[in-house]
Amino acid sequence: MGLRKFSLRAFLKKNFDFITGILSEAGLTVLIMGIAIAICLLLVFIKSVI
Amino acid sequence: MILPLEREDLKVIGYNLRNICYLVAALLFLPIAVAVVCGEFDTVPYFLIGSAIGIILGCILSFSLYTKREMELKHAIVMAALAWLIAPLLASIPIWLANATASYIDASFESISGFTGTGLTLAVDIDHLPHSINFLRHFLQFAGDGIGIIVISLSILGRTEMGSVLAFKGEAKEIGIRPSIVRTSRIIIGIAVTFLVIGTVLFTAAGIREGLDFGTSVFDGLNHSMTAYATGGFSTHSQSLLYYQSIWFEVVAMVLMIMGALNFNLHYAVLGGKRREILKNIEVRLLLFGLVTSGLLISTNLLFANMYPTTEALFRKGVFHAVSAQTTTGFQTVYPFHFMLMWPVFSMVLLSIAMIIGGCANSTSGGIKMVRIGVLLKSLGREIKRALLPRSAVMTGTFHNIDDIPLTDKIVRSAALMAMSYLILFSVGAVITAAYGYSLEDSMFETASALGNVGLSCGITSPSMPAGLKVMYMFLMWAGRLEIIAVLVLFGFVIFGLRKGVRR
């Protein structure tokens, strides 16, 4: 009964702010780790050149 | 003029402490469920004994110190300072009875390290501890530092009253998410549980991917999720995350550590729809800058010291420890003695600085906190500008932390006082550790770790360390969690009471 009434669209609409908020925070961590990996790559490249 | 201490003051503090005793007694029932599920029935009496002592102590306080008087700020601060001593001492009883540590003082150390979210451990043979005891260690970090014992007690037992607001202040949390303190407490718990669930799922998936069986993956995932979000750093293995040799575990841990180091108010704003706040907030900007700078400098140092030659190794050792130190978590992917014997001094000092600075205010992390560093930097900039501008120029300034907050002298003074007292305590701790025969950089590292509630260890913290150092680190963990001021107020309270006496 409960499942038949469940609407993904309504769920996403109701929790839009929460879901996008979690994704924003995940984006922040991805940004930090992306920068960190780029730095490590660059450092190894610089050392190999030197 | 300071009013003389009255007997009623002591009654207010003691009576309000009863809630903490009841709370710890209740919290000790959760590991019993784990013991039953895992078939460890021999550990159940240990938790029951701890719980019974908590209830008896609560009843004694409740009946002997009953008072109708409302709590004032001085009572709240002293109560918070005492709560953070009584709760760990009660929770250490099952750890001691289960022989998880060599002595009661070690069990108390373990419990204080748990409650304060530090992660330095004196437990013996962690890998073979009963699951229920191991769960208790991790749960203490989640309940104590991830949420806050006073937050939990207010959410369950508290009422919307002035005393509750003051109790928050005493616990070094100045949170104003909602007008109702009980509602605020429940929001904090809701945010913590959300990240706990997300973290457990991710850690479990990482565990299954690395070949662990489902049960172990869930147990380790739940425990590491609790300690990663709480920026606590306890692990189910003596080698910490090094045990898994898994980049997936380390990436999930890094995500949760950063989440734990963010301000509760920021979580609430962002999850409530204010997504742009994440880019405007002074603390997030400084945290981002701190993580990238310390990661860059440590990785460069390690690479040119020929420690870790590949990109992956630099990321998993250099960047990981930069994140672990800055967020004050304390997960390690190297052996403690690697820090002491192999890591360059420059990297050790950088990690120590990161541990001293710490994460965001009103988060689960320790240290001086980003917002205070931001305030001091802004104030420094303002002073430089003031020197360059004409004398008649009027200087104003603001910083953005959820709202635009004016940079007043009161805020600057408060940040400077906290930073100064923190650095004094750090210096004293490092000198005393060095007096025991350890090198200065190792002493600075371990002291910064204890005071900042971090948990990274270069090997000084072990069951065989001198008892004096154990007691000092327990004090540093306690003082660091309470951001020092509450401890000073408690000392002032005791000294004032001893000098002037207590009026009836």
Side-chain angles (χ1 to χ4, degrees):
Chain A
M1 271 305 264
L3 276 178
R4 217 179 290 162
K5 281 184 182 172
F6 177 77
S7 158
L8 183 65
R9 193 185 167 90
F11 176 80
L12 290 176
K13 200 174 174 184
K14 193 180 168 195
N15 295 292
F16 180 76
D17 283 341
F18 182 80
I19 293 165
T20 50
I22 291 276
L23 291 176
S24 303
E25 295 196 352
L28 176 73
T29 59
V30 169
L31 175 71
I32 292 170
M33 281 192 268
I35 294 172
I37 291 171
I39 287 169
C40 293
L41 268 169
L42 193 67
L43 285 173
V44 172
F45 174 73
I46 290 169
K47 199 188 175 209
S48 68
V49 171
I50 295 171
Chain B
M1 191 186 89
I2 303 173
L3 293 172
L5 277 186
E6 292 174 5
R7 197 179 157 82
E8 202 64 17
D9 290 320
L10 302 178
K11 283 178 100 175
V12 173
I13 295 163
Y15 185 66
N16 281 289
L17 274 173
R18 80 197 187 286
N19 282 348
I20 300 298
C21 299
Y22 293 144
L23 176 72
V24 176
L27 291 180
L28 289 179
F29 272 87
L30 207 56
I32 293 177
V34 177
V36 171
V37 170
C38 297
E40 296 167 348
F41 296 102
D42 52 332
T43 62
V44 172
Y46 307 148
F47 298 110
L48 289 177
I49 291 169
S51 195
I53 293 173
I55 291 168
I56 292 167
L57 187 61
C59 288
I60 292 171
L61 291 172
S62 188
F63 292 118
S64 62
L65 300 174
Y66 175 77
T67 178
K68 281 181 178 171
R69 195 170 141 186
E70 275 285 308
M71 229 182 354
E72 296 167 26
L73 183 59
K74 63 178 178 183
H75 303 135
I77 293 176
V78 174
M79 189 209 79
L82 290 174
W84 281 91
L85 274 182
I86 289 174
L89 292 179
L90 285 173
S92 66
I93 293 167
I95 297 173
W96 175 54
L97 291 174
N99 287 325
T101 53
S103 63
Y104 182 70
I105 192 170
D106 288 11
S108 304
F109 184 102
E110 192 76 7
S111 188
I112 289 179
S113 179
F115 263 110
T116 57
T118 306
L120 291 171
T121 182
L122 293 182
V124 181
D125 197 11
I126 294 170
D127 302 68
H128 299 104
L129 283 179
H131 286 82
S132 50
I133 295 292
N134 228 340
F135 174 80
L136 173 67
R137 294 171 64 240
H138 295 78
F139 181 61
L140 290 183
Q141 292 207 321
F142 185 69
D145 198 41
I147 302 173
I149 43 173
I150 290 176
V151 171
I152 302 175
S153 74
L154 290 179
S155 120
I156 300 167
L157 308 163
R159 302 184 300 275
T160 308
E161 59 187 22
M162 199 55 202
S164 307
V165 180
L166 296 174
F168 253 145
K169 289 190 180 212
E171 200 182 38
K173 278 190 163 76
E174 296 253 3
I175 301 172
I177 295 174
R178 286 274 167 189
S180 154
I181 207 83
V182 177
R183 173 113 175 89
T184 302
S185 307
R186 287 178 185 163
I187 287 169
I188 292 171
I189 294 173
I191 290 170
V193 171
T194 302
F195 285 110
L196 175 67
V197 172
I198 293 171
T200 305
V201 170
L202 292 175
F203 269 125
T204 304
I208 291 170
R209 196 193 175 281
E210 295 300 328
L212 297 177
D213 64 79
F214 182 73
T216 308
S217 299
V218 172
F219 183 74
D220 285 10
L222 174 66
N223 284 321
H224 284 111
S225 182
M226 285 195 284
T227 54
Y229 174 74
T231 61
F234 272 160
S235 173
T236 48
H237 299 283
S238 52
Q239 295 173 5
S240 191
L241 291 195
L242 177 66
Y243 172 85
Y244 300 100
Q245 302 278 350
S246 161
I247 191 169
W248 298 109
F249 254 90
E250 290 156 23
V251 167
V252 173
M254 278 197 259
V255 171
L256 282 177
M257 289 191 282
I258 294 168
M259 291 296 157
L262 296 177
N263 194 318
F264 287 122
N265 291 336
L266 179 79
H267 282 305
Y268 185 73
V270 172
L271 298 180
K274 290 184 183 171
R275 287 178 293 282
R276 287 189 181 277
E277 185 61 35
I278 213 162
L279 296 172
K280 290 195 293 183
N281 193 285
I282 187 174
E283 288 200 287
V284 177
R285 285 180 177 184
L286 280 173
L287 185 69
L288 188 66
F289 177 77
L291 288 172
V292 170
T293 309
S294 57
L296 168 70
L297 293 174
I298 291 168
S299 299
T300 308
N301 185 229
L302 292 174
L303 180 70
F304 285 93
N306 294 319
M307 290 280 299
Y308 306 108
T310 65
T311 304
E312 187 187 334
L314 276 184
F315 179 73
R316 294 178 62 182
K317 306 297 177 188
V319 174
F320 183 88
H321 287 106
V323 174
S324 186
Q326 188 79 68
T327 59
T328 74
T329 308
F331 282 142
Q332 290 187 212
T333 55
V334 298
Y335 292 104
F337 285 99
H338 275 208
F339 283 132
M340 192 183 267
L341 303 174
M342 293 168 70
W343 272 48
V345 173
F346 182 66
S347 290
M348 295 281 283
V349 172
L350 283 173
L351 283 180
S352 302
I353 293 170
M355 291 192 275
I356 290 169
I357 293 172
C360 299
N362 294 330
S363 71
T364 64
S365 58
I368 292 175
K369 306 279 168 61
M370 285 297 176
V371 71
R372 295 195 181 96
I373 301 294
V375 163
L376 292 176
L377 289 175
K378 282 247 175 192
S379 170
L380 186 66
R382 193 173 64 173
E383 288 307 309
I384 293 169
K385 267 189 201 166
R386 197 195 298 271
L388 298 174
L389 287 169
R391 194 181 283 181
S392 58
V394 178
M395 295 289 298
T396 56
T398 57
F399 61 98
H400 187 83
N401 192 11
I402 311 296
D403 295 314
D404 283 327
I405 301 167
L407 191 66
T408 60
D409 286 346
K410 190 185 170 194
I411 290 177
V412 175
R413 194 172 58 238
S414 162
L417 267 176
M418 160 60 190
M420 191 187 71
S421 44
Y422 196 93
L423 290 175
I424 290 172
L425 205 53
F426 166 72
S427 309
V428 172
V431 168
I432 292 174
T433 308
Y436 276 93
Y438 298 101
S439 72
L440 190 61
E441 68 266 19
D442 293 336
S443 304
M444 284 168 61
F445 187 88
E446 208 79 357
T447 305
S449 182
L451 183 60
N453 301 137
V454 184
L456 285 175
S457 176
C458 63
I460 293 177
T461 303
S462 70
S464 60
M465 75 196 279
L469 265 190
K470 287 178 188 172
V471 173
M472 188 186 76
Y473 284 170
M474 282 157 75
F475 172 76
L476 291 179
M477 291 189 279
W478 175 62
R481 178 62 186 78
L482 290 163
E483 298 193 344
I484 303 169
I485 299 298
V487 175
L488 296 178
V489 173
L490 174 65
F491 287 162
F493 203 79
V494 172
I495 292 167
F496 193 71
L498 288 174
R499 279 179 60 192
K500 304 269 181 180
V502 180
R503 271 196 200 170
R504 284 201 163 263

